[in-house]
Amino acid sequence: MKWTKTLINTLREDPGDAEIDSHKLLMRAGICRKNGAGLFTFMPLGMRSLRKIEQIVREEMNRAGALEILMPALQPAELWQKTGRWDTMGANMFRLKDRGDHFMAMGPTAEEEVTDLMTNIISSYRQLPVTVYQIQTKFRDETRPRFGLMRSKEFIMKDGYSFDTDAEAADKTYWNMYKAYEKIFARCGLKATPVQADGGDMGDSMTHEFHALADAGEDGIASCPSCGYAANLERAERKIEERNDAECPAYEKVATPNSRTIEEVASFFSLPPTSFVKTLVYVADGTPVMVCVPGDRDVNEVKMKRLLSAKSFALADARTVEEVTGAPVGFAGPVKPAKADIKIYADFSLKGARGMIVGANEGDSHIKNVDLARDASIEQYADIVICGAGDMCPKCGAKMELKRGIEVGQVFKLGTKYSDAFHTVYKDENATEKICIMGCYGVGVTRTLQAVIEQSHDKDGIIWPASISPYQVVIDLLDPDNEEVVKVSDELEKTLEDAGIDVIVDDRQDRPGVKFKDADLIGFTVRVVVGAKGLSKGGVEIKRRDQSKEEMKIVPPDQAFDVIKELLV
Ligand SMILES: [Zn+2]
């Protein structure tokens, strides 16, 4: 392909709204163009990389035994109403009405749609296990679209769904998909780490997310350098040391005027935040609860939601706090709250805590010398705080590290949540009707493309892995009017193309500097420079994008092919 025959539009300046490197490079290298907030066009260069990623996903899914289908992106509301998600999906789901006044959704995902489809197809155990997948556009009405393809309103996903006869078979399918995902990301040149995650609304059983570790990632991940444990902060657990607090005298009230926050109270008492119990009032499915954590910790609302099996879990408003505690906001505590029967949950590191300072459930007052077991009625102790760096690994006890990740894939055990709702059953060997066990498996295809850029770039531009580079090789043709030079370039182009290596020839009438700059910005895996000066000295210059100038090889034209091939492995 000749540069002048395709449509490449690189930009010199970073777009104003791009906050992270990969977003800037997507635009500057002409991979994408922005159409509106959270909406992007894939330009010819971007399409090539996108199609290569899709092909890798397709090959690995097919190899794992999954079957490709394509379902409509437009989904009838009735399907979503069957599982109640028409209401719970909230404002994130694009909804519309057709001319017959029927509500529809622009699919953000397709569990309902696929379960409905398969319910009408599956009848016998002989058809199972079966996994179907599609590579399809998904829609999400993001509150604040940002980071380019990371949080866009429209994106391409591979979503797969499995149907199995029992839990054991479903388990096998899950790990089969997990392994396929490892291969997919490795082949895309992406370092993706599987981490334990929270199931959220999708189901409550086991799930792993695949994260491309990058500082620009939106998710926090706790990871153990010693044993490899890794979990999304929403889910990450920790080991604690058992407390050995000395007994304390009876508790007493202390006036603490104008001290509400832990910082204010800690400074009032001149004690570290760990001497305090932070008490917050939440509302879980309409019922207020109290949550106690050490003063230097934050409540992990996802863990609490799971602990209570709650559908909704949010901080209480001021009026509810006043009703529950009998005091203005800022003085809640676990000792004798106004609402005597409120359930109080405490972090398990507070078990055996004595000599603590807590809110007095009375304005401008705290209580000191609190023995939590003696003075408060704790419903349950559990791990309910957000993990931090230095927390002990739940598996081996080593100190954990905090990292940031971009979620590029997820595998879920759905269980029977959807098959129950749609009555997806099969007949076993004895003609007994049984419910199908489901799993679902997503890969953010467009997001993966950007995550690769986030992980693989330098100050000059993108560094594409050979497997998904828009063109694996760029030939910078320095003297497009010199017949001899053009002949060498044409021959090399043909040899490469015949060998199935895709190549673009920069045949523009431009200075070498411009060509080198664009080649580096777009980040083609291998760059070959063919010019009159080089040829007169006997060769063409070859270098991989991630190699330094010193590593550049100068070889005679007839050896170029072998050298390029080696660099692409
Ligand atoms: Zn560990």
Side-chain angles (χ1 to χ4, degrees):
M1 169 62 80
K2 299 289 192 287
W3 195 294
T4 51
K5 298 280 185 289
T6 180
L7 193 58
I8 297 177
N9 193 271
T10 57
L11 308 173
R12 290 287 157 247
E13 302 291 327
D14 286 334
D17 62 345
E19 295 163 69
I20 59 175
D21 288 350
S22 53
H23 183 187
K24 294 173 188 165
L25 288 171
L26 270 180
M27 302 298 143
R28 284 193 48 210
I31 305 295
C32 290
R33 300 281 288 190
K34 182 176 165 180
N35 298 61
L39 299 171
F40 299 91
T41 295
F42 273 82
M43 297 303 288
L45 281 180
M47 271 317 286
R48 295 182 63 88
S49 288
L50 184 63
R51 287 287 178 246
K52 287 181 184 187
I53 295 173
E54 287 177 354
Q55 190 53 25
I56 290 172
V57 170
R58 187 171 281 125
E59 283 171 19
E60 292 303 331
M61 291 306 289
N62 293 350
R63 196 174 295 177
L67 306 165
E68 186 169 10
I69 60 173
L70 184 60
M71 296 184 287
L74 197 57
Q75 306 174 1
E78 289 76 30
L79 297 179
W80 292 86
Q81 282 155 351
K82 246 183 170 162
T83 55
R85 289 211 295 176
W86 182 255
D87 299 317
T88 57
M89 290 300 285
N92 277 342
M93 191 152 77
F94 279 106
R95 297 153 207 257
L96 54 95
K97 263 186 195 171
D98 70 8
R99 62 172 74 198
D101 238 15
H102 300 112
F103 272 112
M104 320 277 283
M106 297 297 287
T109 176
E111 284 78 13
E112 281 81 354
E113 192 177 37
V114 78
T115 311
D116 180 60
L117 173 82
M118 297 304 281
T119 301
N120 294 310
I121 292 172
I122 295 170
S123 58
S124 158
Y125 71 96
R126 289 193 189 88
Q127 295 166 290
L128 305 178
V130 63
T131 301
V132 292
Y133 75 96
Q134 63 176 347
I135 297 173
Q136 165 72 294
T137 301
K138 299 285 184 293
F139 302 86
R140 202 163 296 169
D141 197 354
E142 291 284 351
T143 329
R144 202 183 136 216
R146 61 199 160 134
F147 306 140
L149 305 172
M150 301 283 188
R151 290 227 163 265
S152 49
K153 291 193 169 186
E154 189 180 313
F155 49 94
I156 297 172
M157 264 188 76
K158 187 284 295 178
D159 47 327
Y161 308 88
S162 64
F163 298 80
D164 276 287
T165 50
D166 55 35
E168 201 184 322
D171 215 44
K172 223 172 125 184
T173 303
Y174 181 88
W175 290 108
N176 187 30
M177 285 297 137
Y178 181 103
K179 283 191 203 115
Y181 274 34
E182 289 182 315
K183 286 183 200 151
I184 287 169
F185 295 121
R187 283 184 63 190
C188 290
L190 191 70
K191 286 188 258 334
T193 309
V195 308
Q196 291 181 19
D198 183 76
D201 285 342
M202 303 286 282
D204 46 17
S205 52
M206 171 129 86
T207 168
H208 283 88
E209 292 167 351
F210 287 76
H211 280 268
L213 297 182
D215 292 336
E218 288 190 87
D219 287 274
I221 291 159
S223 76
C224 171
S226 176
C227 75
Y229 170 82
N232 190 308
L233 277 190
E234 289 183 340
R235 161 145 210 144
E237 294 165 14
R238 71 204 209 275
K239 195 182 255 181
I240 48 150
E241 286 187 59
E242 234 172 83
R243 301 180 79 107
N244 193 15
D245 293 6
E247 291 204 21
C248 64
Y251 67 79
E252 55 182 290
K253 203 153 67 187
V254 183
T256 55
N258 301 319
S259 303
R260 287 162 189 261
T261 66
I262 288 290
E263 291 72 30
E264 285 162 358
V265 185
S267 122
F268 179 88
F269 283 94
S270 296
L271 284 169
T274 44
S275 308
F276 301 83
V277 173
K278 193 194 278 182
T279 306
L280 296 154
V281 181
Y282 280 91
V283 177
D285 292 342
T287 308
V289 296
M290 264 187 174
V291 181
C292 296
V293 297
D296 62 337
R297 291 293 195 152
D298 290 313
V299 176
N300 185 326
E301 296 177 2
V302 177
K303 283 186 186 174
M304 272 307 302
K305 196 174 169 191
R306 188 168 57 235
L307 180 74
L308 302 178
S309 304
K311 284 203 165 58
S312 71
F313 186 80
L315 274 172
D317 57 22
R319 223 188 79 197
T320 309
V321 173
E322 281 162 25
E323 276 170 19
V324 163
T325 63
V329 174
F331 301 97
V335 180
K336 298 204 168 68
K339 184 171 164 37
D341 63 344
I342 191 168
K343 289 194 170 152
I344 306 174
Y345 297 87
D347 185 63
F348 68 158
S349 66
L350 289 174
K351 200 168 187 181
R354 292 173 169 143
M356 305 299 285
I357 299 171
V358 306
N361 296 316
E362 190 183 315
D364 289 334
S365 312
H366 280 75
I367 302 176
K368 67 174 186 178
N369 290 331
V370 169
D371 177 332
L372 220 52
R374 181 190 66 190
D375 304 327
S377 164
I378 305 293
E379 172 78 14
Q380 194 179 346
Y381 290 93
D383 182 357
I384 53 172
V385 306
I386 300 170
C387 277
D391 274 344
M392 284 193 287
C393 167
K395 289 257 159 62
C396 77
K399 280 191 174 165
M400 293 196 286
E401 296 170 347
L402 287 192
K403 292 180 174 158
R404 315 266 339 145
I406 300 163
E407 188 194 331
V408 286
Q410 186 158 20
V411 288
F412 263 103
K413 284 188 191 174
L414 288 174
T416 60
K417 175 173 174 170
Y418 296 94
S419 44
D420 277 338
F422 285 85
H423 195 64
T424 318
V425 294
Y426 66 94
K427 286 209 169 79
D428 72 4
E429 293 93 324
N430 309 313
T432 309
E433 212 172 67
K434 287 188 173 155
I435 195 91
C436 287
I437 314 283
M438 287 177 60
C440 75
Y441 317 93
V443 171
V445 175
T446 38
R447 198 185 261 203
T448 294
L449 182 141
Q450 193 179 336
V452 168
I453 299 175
E454 192 59 44
Q455 265 189 0
S456 184
H457 70 273
D458 62 15
K459 63 175 179 27
D460 297 321
I462 304 170
I463 303 171
W464 286 109
S467 58
I468 63 169
S469 187
Y471 293 91
Q472 293 161 290
V473 178
V474 59
I475 297 176
D476 280 346
L477 178 58
L478 296 194
D479 304 282
D481 299 325
N482 180 318
E483 262 178 51
E484 165 70 11
V485 175
V486 171
K487 187 167 165 267
V488 170
S489 170
D490 282 350
E491 274 172 16
L492 183 57
E493 181 188 11
K494 187 170 184 311
T495 313
L496 288 166
E497 275 176 353
D498 287 349
I501 295 170
D502 40 48
V503 50
I504 184 161
V505 179
D506 191 348
D507 57 342
R508 292 177 295 172
Q509 298 283 356
D510 260 319
R511 285 177 293 114
V514 172
K515 299 191 178 196
F516 297 160
K517 242 193 161 105
D518 274 344
D520 279 353
L521 175 59
I522 296 168
F524 305 108
T525 309
V526 170
R527 188 186 79 190
V528 183
V529 180
V530 183
K533 205 168 129 198
L535 287 177
S536 72
K537 288 185 199 157
V540 299
E541 296 172 354
I542 303 172
K543 146 180 149 37
R544 214 171 47 209
R545 172 65 178 82
D546 61 352
Q547 288 178 323
S548 67
K549 226 175 160 183
E550 289 68 43
E551 291 171 278
M552 187 167 74
K553 288 194 173 77
I554 300 173
V555 302
D558 61 345
Q559 288 173 28
F561 175 74
D562 290 334
V563 173
I564 291 166
K565 231 177 122 187
E566 210 157 276
L567 289 177
L568 286 174
V569 172

